[in-house]
C-alpha cells in the first residue's frame, strides 16, 4: 500500500494567512495509485507527499526478503522430510501389526559350525 499525505492547501487572507486546511493520511492500492491515483489527485489540486512507497521498499530489502524465503523453504523441506519419515514408520508398524510384513528377528544368534 502507498501511504500518502494529501492536502488542498487553503489559507485565510483576512487573518494574516492562517492555514485553514489540514493534511489527510491516505492509503492507496499500488496498482490504482500508479495508474490513476497520483495523476487524478494532482489534477484536483491536491499536494501529494508519498510517505511509503512499497516498490522502493521491496528494492531496498530484496536481499533480506530472498534470504528469508530461502530459510523458509529449507525449514519447510526439513519438516516435510520429518513428516515423511514419521509416516513411513507408522505405515511399517501397521503392516507388521497386521501380519503383512513379518516382524524382524531382533535377536540374531550366530552358530559356529567350526569343528
Amino acid at each position: 500500500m502507498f501511504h500518502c499525505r494529501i492536502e488542498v492547501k487553503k489559507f485565510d487572507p483576512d487573518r494574516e494567512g492562517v492555514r485553514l486546511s489540514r493534511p489527510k493520511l491516505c492509503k492507496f492500492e499500488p496498482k490504482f495509485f500508479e495508474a490513476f491515483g497520483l495523476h487524478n489527485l494532482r489534477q484536483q489540486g491536491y499536494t501529494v507527499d508519498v510517505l511509503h512507497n512499497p516498490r522502493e521498499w521491496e528494492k531496498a530489502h530484496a536481499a533480506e526478503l530472498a534470504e528469508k524465503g530461502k530459510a523458509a523453504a529449507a525449514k519447510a523441506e526439513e519438516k516435510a522430510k520429518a513428516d515423511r519419515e514419521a509416516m513411513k514408520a507408522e505405515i511399517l508398524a501397521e503392516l507388521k501389526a497386521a501380519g503383512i510384513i513379518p516382524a524382524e528377528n531382533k535377536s540374531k544368534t550366530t552358530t559356529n559350525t567350526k569343528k
Side-chain angles (χ1 to χ4, degrees):
M1 300 287 281
F2 277 88
H3 298 163
C4 300
R5 179 177 50 215
I6 63 172
E7 176 182 16
V8 175
K9 294 184 180 179
K10 293 182 184 176
F11 297 94
D12 186 4
D14 297 333
R15 294 188 301 169
E16 300 176 4
V18 174
R19 188 180 208 153
L20 297 175
S21 62
R22 289 188 176 175
K24 299 176 188 175
L25 293 176
C26 297
K27 296 181 201 174
F28 299 100
E29 292 285 332
K31 196 172 188 179
F32 165 78
F33 186 75
E34 291 171 339
F36 308 106
L38 181 61
H39 177 71
N40 288 344
L41 287 169
R42 287 188 175 153
Q43 275 190 335
Q44 294 172 13
Y46 283 92
T47 302
V48 180
D49 299 324
V50 177
L51 304 175
H52 173 71
N53 183 341
R55 307 289 190 223
E56 291 177 5
W57 187 89
E58 286 174 358
K59 288 178 186 174
H61 294 85
E64 182 181 327
L65 292 173
E67 186 176 310
K68 283 183 181 180
K70 288 178 184 176
K75 187 175 180 181
E77 185 178 326
E78 184 177 307
K79 184 181 182 312
K81 185 176 180 181
D83 288 347
R84 281 193 304 271
E85 290 297 323
M87 189 183 303
K88 181 180 176 182
E90 183 180 333
I91 290 171
L92 284 174
E94 288 178 7
L95 291 174
K96 287 178 184 176
I100 296 172
I101 297 177
E104 294 177 11
N105 189 2
K106 291 185 179 182
S107 61
K108 295 181 181 177
T109 57
T110 57
T111 58
N112 290 335
T113 57
K114 289 184 179 180
K115 292 186 182 184

